[in-house]
mmCIF file of all heavy atoms in Angstrom:
data_model
loop_
_atom_site.group_PDB
_atom_site.id
_atom_site.type_symbol
_atom_site.label_atom_id
_atom_site.label_comp_id
_atom_site.label_asym_id
_atom_site.label_seq_id
_atom_site.Cartn_x
_atom_site.Cartn_y
_atom_site.Cartn_z
ATOM 1 N N ASP A 1 -10.774 -9.814 2.516
ATOM 2 C CA ASP A 1 -10.611 -9.897 1.081
ATOM 3 C C ASP A 1 -10.615 -8.546 0.323
ATOM 4 O O ASP A 1 -10.771 -8.547 -0.869
ATOM 5 C CB ASP A 1 -11.661 -10.819 0.462
ATOM 6 C CG ASP A 1 -13.108 -10.293 0.767
ATOM 7 O OD1 ASP A 1 -13.267 -9.246 1.396
ATOM 8 O OD2 ASP A 1 -14.117 -10.928 0.284
ATOM 9 N N ALA A 2 -10.348 -7.495 1.094
ATOM 10 C CA ALA A 2 -10.305 -6.203 0.514
ATOM 11 C C ALA A 2 -9.144 -6.094 -0.536
ATOM 12 O O ALA A 2 -8.142 -6.699 -0.317
ATOM 13 C CB ALA A 2 -10.180 -5.117 1.529
ATOM 14 N N SER A 3 -9.315 -5.329 -1.533
ATOM 15 C CA SER A 3 -8.349 -5.133 -2.591
ATOM 16 C C SER A 3 -7.162 -4.358 -1.944
ATOM 17 O O SER A 3 -7.249 -3.624 -1.015
ATOM 18 C CB SER A 3 -8.913 -4.463 -3.797
ATOM 19 O OG SER A 3 -9.206 -3.076 -3.473
ATOM 20 N N VAL A 4 -5.990 -4.468 -2.660
ATOM 21 C CA VAL A 4 -4.804 -3.692 -2.244
ATOM 22 C C VAL A 4 -5.110 -2.223 -2.275
ATOM 23 O O VAL A 4 -4.662 -1.456 -1.424
ATOM 24 C CB VAL A 4 -3.639 -4.063 -3.151
ATOM 25 C CG1 VAL A 4 -2.423 -3.153 -2.884
ATOM 26 C CG2 VAL A 4 -3.193 -5.532 -2.940
ATOM 27 N N VAL A 5 -5.770 -1.790 -3.311
ATOM 28 C CA VAL A 5 -6.132 -0.363 -3.405
ATOM 29 C C VAL A 5 -7.004 0.072 -2.205
ATOM 30 O O VAL A 5 -6.741 1.133 -1.631
ATOM 31 C CB VAL A 5 -6.882 -0.047 -4.751
ATOM 32 C CG1 VAL A 5 -7.323 1.404 -4.814
ATOM 33 C CG2 VAL A 5 -5.902 -0.282 -5.977
ATOM 34 N N ARG A 6 -7.995 -0.683 -1.901
ATOM 35 C CA ARG A 6 -8.871 -0.348 -0.813
ATOM 36 C C ARG A 6 -8.143 -0.294 0.513
ATOM 37 O O ARG A 6 -8.318 0.640 1.328
ATOM 38 C CB ARG A 6 -10.053 -1.270 -0.755
ATOM 39 C CG ARG A 6 -11.059 -0.957 0.366
ATOM 40 C CD ARG A 6 -12.225 -1.896 0.285
ATOM 41 N NE ARG A 6 -13.181 -1.654 1.333
ATOM 42 C CZ ARG A 6 -14.270 -2.343 1.571
ATOM 43 N NH1 ARG A 6 -14.572 -3.389 0.817
ATOM 44 N NH2 ARG A 6 -15.061 -2.067 2.609
ATOM 45 N N VAL A 7 -7.247 -1.229 0.684
ATOM 46 C CA VAL A 7 -6.447 -1.307 1.931
ATOM 47 C C VAL A 7 -5.541 -0.157 2.018
ATOM 48 O O VAL A 7 -5.396 0.468 3.077
ATOM 49 C CB VAL A 7 -5.651 -2.623 2.018
ATOM 50 C CG1 VAL A 7 -4.652 -2.629 3.168
ATOM 51 C CG2 VAL A 7 -6.658 -3.826 2.253
ATOM 52 N N ALA A 8 -4.825 0.189 0.970
ATOM 53 C CA ALA A 8 -3.958 1.347 0.939
ATOM 54 C C ALA A 8 -4.673 2.604 1.358
ATOM 55 O O ALA A 8 -4.223 3.318 2.169
ATOM 56 C CB ALA A 8 -3.302 1.493 -0.423
ATOM 57 N N HIS A 9 -5.824 2.830 0.770
ATOM 58 C CA HIS A 9 -6.574 4.019 1.075
ATOM 59 C C HIS A 9 -7.114 3.969 2.531
ATOM 60 O O HIS A 9 -7.169 5.041 3.174
ATOM 61 C CB HIS A 9 -7.826 4.092 0.169
ATOM 62 C CG HIS A 9 -7.411 4.431 -1.293
ATOM 63 N ND1 HIS A 9 -8.285 4.388 -2.358
ATOM 64 C CD2 HIS A 9 -6.177 4.889 -1.761
ATOM 65 C CE1 HIS A 9 -7.700 4.722 -3.448
ATOM 66 N NE2 HIS A 9 -6.400 5.015 -3.196
ATOM 67 N N SER A 10 -7.386 2.825 3.076
ATOM 68 C CA SER A 10 -7.961 2.698 4.395
ATOM 69 C C SER A 10 -6.939 3.041 5.518
ATOM 70 O O SER A 10 -7.250 3.292 6.650
ATOM 71 C CB SER A 10 -8.522 1.335 4.654
ATOM 72 O OG SER A 10 -7.456 0.401 4.815
ATOM 73 N N VAL A 11 -5.613 3.025 5.096
ATOM 74 C CA VAL A 11 -4.598 3.347 6.137
ATOM 75 C C VAL A 11 -3.828 4.578 5.692
ATOM 76 O O VAL A 11 -2.699 4.852 6.236
ATOM 77 C CB VAL A 11 -3.601 2.168 6.268
ATOM 78 C CG1 VAL A 11 -4.256 0.950 6.898
ATOM 79 C CG2 VAL A 11 -2.920 1.755 4.965
ATOM 80 N N GLY A 12 -4.431 5.415 4.827
ATOM 81 C CA GLY A 12 -3.828 6.760 4.670
ATOM 82 C C GLY A 12 -2.968 6.916 3.449
ATOM 83 O O GLY A 12 -2.285 7.974 3.309
ATOM 84 N N PHE A 13 -2.855 5.948 2.535
ATOM 85 C CA PHE A 13 -1.977 6.097 1.431
ATOM 86 C C PHE A 13 -2.819 6.400 0.190
ATOM 87 O O PHE A 13 -3.597 5.529 -0.316
ATOM 88 C CB PHE A 13 -1.160 4.791 1.129
ATOM 89 C CG PHE A 13 -0.047 4.520 2.067
ATOM 90 C CD1 PHE A 13 -0.333 3.696 3.196
ATOM 91 C CD2 PHE A 13 1.162 5.102 1.949
ATOM 92 C CE1 PHE A 13 0.710 3.410 4.086
ATOM 93 C CE2 PHE A 13 2.155 4.872 2.864
ATOM 94 C CZ PHE A 13 1.916 4.069 3.955
ATOM 95 N N SER A 14 -2.799 7.576 -0.326
ATOM 96 C CA SER A 14 -3.567 7.934 -1.549
ATOM 97 C C SER A 14 -2.838 7.547 -2.762
ATOM 98 O O SER A 14 -3.468 7.272 -3.814
ATOM 99 C CB SER A 14 -3.771 9.498 -1.610
ATOM 100 O OG SER A 14 -2.589 10.188 -1.569
ATOM 101 N N ASN A 15 -1.514 7.406 -2.705
ATOM 102 C CA ASN A 15 -0.693 6.937 -3.811
ATOM 103 C C ASN A 15 -0.413 5.426 -3.625
ATOM 104 O O ASN A 15 0.411 5.057 -2.831
ATOM 105 C CB ASN A 15 0.628 7.732 -3.873
ATOM 106 C CG ASN A 15 1.392 7.421 -5.127
ATOM 107 O OD1 ASN A 15 1.584 6.291 -5.546
ATOM 108 N ND2 ASN A 15 1.990 8.493 -5.761
ATOM 109 N N VAL A 16 -1.147 4.586 -4.455
ATOM 110 C CA VAL A 16 -1.033 3.130 -4.246
ATOM 111 C C VAL A 16 0.307 2.660 -4.667
ATOM 112 O O VAL A 16 0.878 1.718 -4.031
ATOM 113 C CB VAL A 16 -2.170 2.489 -5.018
ATOM 114 C CG1 VAL A 16 -2.061 0.927 -4.852
ATOM 115 C CG2 VAL A 16 -3.530 2.954 -4.551
ATOM 116 N N SER A 17 0.936 3.234 -5.678
ATOM 117 C CA SER A 17 2.260 2.803 -6.129
ATOM 118 C C SER A 17 3.297 3.021 -4.954
ATOM 119 O O SER A 17 4.158 2.189 -4.711
ATOM 120 C CB SER A 17 2.719 3.524 -7.337
ATOM 121 O OG SER A 17 1.906 3.249 -8.466
ATOM 122 N N HIS A 18 3.158 4.126 -4.353
ATOM 123 C CA HIS A 18 4.063 4.498 -3.204
ATOM 124 C C HIS A 18 3.778 3.469 -2.090
ATOM 125 O O HIS A 18 4.807 2.963 -1.452
ATOM 126 C CB HIS A 18 3.782 5.904 -2.742
ATOM 127 C CG HIS A 18 4.653 6.401 -1.650
ATOM 128 N ND1 HIS A 18 6.041 6.285 -1.724
ATOM 129 C CD2 HIS A 18 4.413 6.988 -0.487
ATOM 130 C CE1 HIS A 18 6.636 6.837 -0.687
ATOM 131 N NE2 HIS A 18 5.631 7.273 0.134
ATOM 132 N N PHE A 19 2.542 3.129 -1.786
ATOM 133 C CA PHE A 19 2.239 2.142 -0.832
ATOM 134 C C PHE A 19 2.855 0.737 -1.164
ATOM 135 O O PHE A 19 3.489 0.166 -0.268
ATOM 136 C CB PHE A 19 0.713 1.981 -0.689
ATOM 137 C CG PHE A 19 0.291 0.762 0.043
ATOM 138 C CD1 PHE A 19 0.460 0.653 1.440
ATOM 139 C CD2 PHE A 19 -0.283 -0.287 -0.613
ATOM 140 C CE1 PHE A 19 0.020 -0.465 2.154
ATOM 141 C CE2 PHE A 19 -0.662 -1.423 0.028
ATOM 142 C CZ PHE A 19 -0.525 -1.502 1.453
ATOM 143 N N ARG A 20 2.764 0.380 -2.355
ATOM 144 C CA ARG A 20 3.356 -0.918 -2.798
ATOM 145 C C ARG A 20 4.876 -0.918 -2.543
ATOM 146 O O ARG A 20 5.423 -1.964 -2.037
ATOM 147 C CB ARG A 20 3.051 -1.183 -4.256
ATOM 148 C CG ARG A 20 1.563 -1.446 -4.558
ATOM 149 C CD ARG A 20 1.377 -1.724 -6.043
ATOM 150 N NE ARG A 20 0.075 -1.614 -6.509
ATOM 151 C CZ ARG A 20 -0.855 -2.612 -6.502
ATOM 152 N NH1 ARG A 20 -0.469 -3.810 -6.062
ATOM 153 N NH2 ARG A 20 -2.085 -2.449 -6.855
ATOM 154 N N ARG A 21 5.539 0.125 -2.893
ATOM 155 C CA ARG A 21 7.017 0.205 -2.672
ATOM 156 C C ARG A 21 7.324 0.102 -1.267
ATOM 157 O O ARG A 21 8.336 -0.617 -0.878
ATOM 158 C CB ARG A 21 7.587 1.449 -3.383
ATOM 159 C CG ARG A 21 7.594 1.458 -4.836
ATOM 160 C CD ARG A 21 8.585 2.511 -5.371
ATOM 161 N NE ARG A 21 8.294 3.811 -4.846
ATOM 162 C CZ ARG A 21 7.372 4.689 -5.313
ATOM 163 N NH1 ARG A 21 6.707 4.262 -6.377
ATOM 164 N NH2 ARG A 21 7.160 5.820 -4.832
ATOM 165 N N LEU A 22 6.645 0.912 -0.421
ATOM 166 C CA LEU A 22 6.999 0.877 1.022
ATOM 167 C C LEU A 22 6.721 -0.510 1.600
ATOM 168 O O LEU A 22 7.448 -0.964 2.499
ATOM 169 C CB LEU A 22 6.219 2.006 1.746
ATOM 170 C CG LEU A 22 6.534 3.447 1.424
ATOM 171 C CD1 LEU A 22 5.584 4.394 2.091
ATOM 172 C CD2 LEU A 22 8.006 3.720 1.855
ATOM 173 N N PHE A 23 5.599 -1.074 1.225
ATOM 174 C CA PHE A 23 5.145 -2.358 1.824
ATOM 175 C C PHE A 23 6.258 -3.426 1.469
ATOM 176 O O PHE A 23 6.676 -4.184 2.306
ATOM 177 C CB PHE A 23 3.867 -2.721 1.172
ATOM 178 C CG PHE A 23 3.192 -3.934 1.879
ATOM 179 C CD1 PHE A 23 2.216 -3.689 2.874
ATOM 180 C CD2 PHE A 23 3.540 -5.291 1.601
ATOM 181 C CE1 PHE A 23 1.693 -4.724 3.545
ATOM 182 C CE2 PHE A 23 2.965 -6.332 2.255
ATOM 183 C CZ PHE A 23 1.993 -6.132 3.239
ATOM 184 N N ARG A 24 6.669 -3.484 0.157
ATOM 185 C CA ARG A 24 7.686 -4.437 -0.202
ATOM 186 C C ARG A 24 8.953 -4.190 0.478
ATOM 187 O O ARG A 24 9.731 -5.172 0.913
ATOM 188 C CB ARG A 24 7.866 -4.417 -1.750
ATOM 189 C CG ARG A 24 8.883 -5.476 -2.227
ATOM 190 C CD ARG A 24 8.822 -5.625 -3.654
ATOM 191 N NE ARG A 24 9.620 -6.743 -4.109
ATOM 192 C CZ ARG A 24 9.523 -7.354 -5.304
ATOM 193 N NH1 ARG A 24 8.634 -6.876 -6.195
ATOM 194 N NH2 ARG A 24 10.290 -8.393 -5.585
ATOM 195 N N ARG A 25 9.414 -2.953 0.644
ATOM 196 C CA ARG A 25 10.602 -2.623 1.353
ATOM 197 C C ARG A 25 10.588 -3.057 2.782
ATOM 198 O O ARG A 25 11.520 -3.570 3.374
ATOM 199 C CB ARG A 25 10.884 -1.162 1.215
ATOM 200 C CG ARG A 25 12.251 -0.702 1.823
ATOM 201 C CD ARG A 25 12.528 0.747 1.625
ATOM 202 N NE ARG A 25 11.623 1.572 2.390
ATOM 203 C CZ ARG A 25 11.475 2.852 2.355
ATOM 204 N NH1 ARG A 25 12.214 3.530 1.421
ATOM 205 N NH2 ARG A 25 10.678 3.595 3.098
ATOM 206 N N GLU A 26 9.439 -2.937 3.424
ATOM 207 C CA GLU A 26 9.306 -3.306 4.862
ATOM 208 C C GLU A 26 9.136 -4.787 5.101
ATOM 209 O O GLU A 26 9.746 -5.278 5.990
ATOM 210 C CB GLU A 26 8.019 -2.544 5.393
ATOM 211 C CG GLU A 26 7.806 -2.797 6.861
ATOM 212 C CD GLU A 26 8.707 -1.963 7.733
ATOM 213 O OE1 GLU A 26 9.383 -0.972 7.178
ATOM 214 O OE2 GLU A 26 8.829 -2.277 8.947
ATOM 215 N N PHE A 27 8.337 -5.490 4.231
ATOM 216 C CA PHE A 27 8.068 -6.856 4.501
ATOM 217 C C PHE A 27 8.702 -7.843 3.478
ATOM 218 O O PHE A 27 8.605 -9.072 3.648
ATOM 219 C CB PHE A 27 6.515 -7.059 4.527
ATOM 220 C CG PHE A 27 5.828 -6.265 5.543
ATOM 221 C CD1 PHE A 27 4.888 -5.344 5.195
ATOM 222 C CD2 PHE A 27 6.138 -6.388 6.884
ATOM 223 C CE1 PHE A 27 4.307 -4.550 6.155
ATOM 224 C CE2 PHE A 27 5.516 -5.629 7.876
ATOM 225 C CZ PHE A 27 4.565 -4.667 7.503
#
């Protein structure tokens, strides 16, 4: 139940907006 921000940081994405864009593009 970790937040999107916490998950992003846990896998090496410091820029959460960038993480969201890449995630949506991938999945």
Side-chain angles (χ1 to χ4, degrees):
D1 58 359
S3 68
V4 171
V5 172
R6 183 176 177 184
V7 169
H9 291 167
S10 72
V11 295
F13 288 96
S14 58
N15 186 317
V16 180
S17 296
H18 186 50
F19 165 72
R20 293 180 194 273
R21 285 199 306 276
L22 291 176
F23 193 96
R24 182 166 189 164
R25 186 176 69 187
E26 184 74 15
F27 301 118

